[in-house]
Amino acid sequence: MGKIISLANQKGGVGKTTTSINLAASLATLGKKVLLVDADPQANASSGLGIDIRKLKYTIYECLIDGVPTQQAIVPTEIENLYVMPSHIDLVGAEIEMLNLPDREKVMRDMLSPLKSNYDYILIDCSPSLGLITVNALTASDSVIIPVQSEYFALEGIGKLLNTIKIIKSKLNPGLNIAGFLLTMYDNRLRSANQVYEEVKKHFGNMVFDTSIARNVRLSEAPSHGKPIILYDAESKGAANYMDLAKEVIAREANNQ
């Protein structure tokens, strides 16, 4: 049975979508069957994997709102074993449309649960907000990875996210766990980055991934080419970091079973 993992942080620009794309691609490269669910209306995870959303008939929006079968929205990528359920700007309106639905927080869980037996991992790229779609993603998930940018104010807002996770755990999804905090855009030459790393480590201990994602030009270039870093530049530091992260995610899950 596959694991559903959300990548969430309501603070924008922390490397959440970059992590979603590249962790998914690295897990697939390691032989895992992976579905990346793009739950962000900006659809950057979709375009970052080379999906032209203008040509799609169905996206996550139609699955959530119109009950379109998920298989009709899932598309393959260039990487073997990696599939995407793309997003669309229409998803912005989905939160309002879902307000009147019964069990509105559980729509995504009901949509994704039947897919768990088809994949080793289902990753959900959440939007940078704590709205109803993100609540749906967390309610559907077994665990959540929280990317944290290694700069001042990194921990700002994490308290709010942790509180949301706590509420979801108590009211909607008792099985939800934090898979780990991931330090992104890390530059070990900067004193401030090292201070943030120490602070995150002090707060969250072994919940912080051993792997951190270094600042890497090739990593920031890759999405504009519609490719994960492993296809764009497999020799880059970014590709090595995400491969290490994928191995750590697999190892942590094996230890938790």
Side-chain angles (χ1 to χ4, degrees):
M1 186 69 90
K3 289 282 179 210
I4 302 180
I5 304 173
S6 278
L7 290 99
N9 190 331
Q10 81 274 18
K11 195 171 188 286
V14 298
K16 180 181 51 57
T17 298
T18 300
T19 296
S20 300
I21 292 169
N22 292 299
L23 174 58
S26 298
L27 286 166
T29 304
L30 291 169
K32 302 295 181 185
K33 193 175 179 190
V34 183
L35 172 65
L36 176 56
V37 177
D38 191 348
D40 185 343
Q42 294 176 79
N44 290 337
S46 306
S47 59
L49 282 168
I51 309 295
D52 186 350
I53 55 174
R54 294 167 302 180
K55 294 181 177 171
L56 298 173
K57 188 174 181 186
Y58 299 119
T59 65
I60 185 175
Y61 172 82
E62 286 78 18
C63 296
L64 286 171
I65 302 302
D66 302 329
V68 167
T70 50
Q71 293 303 342
Q72 293 189 35
I74 293 170
V75 291
T77 69
E78 271 187 274
I79 291 186
E80 192 183 352
N81 289 327
L82 177 57
Y83 300 82
V84 182
M85 183 185 287
S87 188
H88 192 274
I89 193 65
D90 287 353
L91 197 60
V92 168
E95 304 215 343
I96 295 161
E97 293 177 68
M98 289 166 73
L99 284 175
N100 297 321
L101 293 177
D103 285 337
R104 62 192 180 196
E105 298 92 352
K106 298 174 183 173
V107 180
M108 197 180 295
R109 186 186 72 183
D110 294 344
M111 179 183 89
L112 294 179
S113 288
L115 297 176
K116 286 180 84 169
S117 55
N118 300 347
Y119 298 93
D120 296 305
Y121 291 96
I122 298 174
L123 303 184
I124 308 175
D125 182 32
C126 298
S127 65
S129 78
L130 292 177
L132 186 54
I133 299 288
T134 299
V135 168
N136 258 266
L138 294 171
T139 303
S141 295
D142 297 298
S143 59
V144 54
I145 290 174
I146 303 171
V148 181
Q149 192 178 351
S150 54
E151 62 172 38
Y152 284 124
F153 309 122
L155 295 177
E156 208 176 67
I158 282 188
K160 198 173 178 186
L161 175 60
L162 293 179
N163 197 41
T164 301
I165 291 169
K166 192 174 165 187
I167 291 166
I168 288 169
K169 207 171 154 76
S170 67
K171 294 191 162 48
L172 296 164
N173 182 7
L176 181 64
N177 292 308
I178 294 173
F181 293 84
L182 174 69
L183 228 70
T184 61
M185 304 178 206
Y186 181 61
D187 186 342
N188 63 5
R189 298 167 302 178
L190 298 178
R191 198 168 121 221
S192 59
N194 290 312
Q195 284 173 335
V196 169
Y197 183 81
E198 292 305 320
E199 198 179 342
V200 173
K201 202 80 178 149
K202 188 175 80 185
H203 272 77
F204 304 113
N206 60 7
M207 290 170 79
V208 182
F209 283 105
D210 294 333
T211 307
S212 53
I213 310 300
R215 277 196 181 277
N216 183 250
V217 174
R218 303 297 276 169
L219 197 53
S220 55
E221 289 172 355
S224 63
H225 296 268
K227 291 182 186 297
I229 189 63
I230 202 142
L231 287 185
Y232 182 65
D233 186 352
E235 301 299 311
S236 67
K237 180 82 170 155
N241 287 164
Y242 277 111
M243 195 54 83
D244 287 344
L245 177 64
K247 289 172 184 169
E248 193 175 348
V249 166
I250 293 168
R252 281 188 177 219
E253 193 198 306
N255 291 336
N256 290 335
Q257 281 177 350

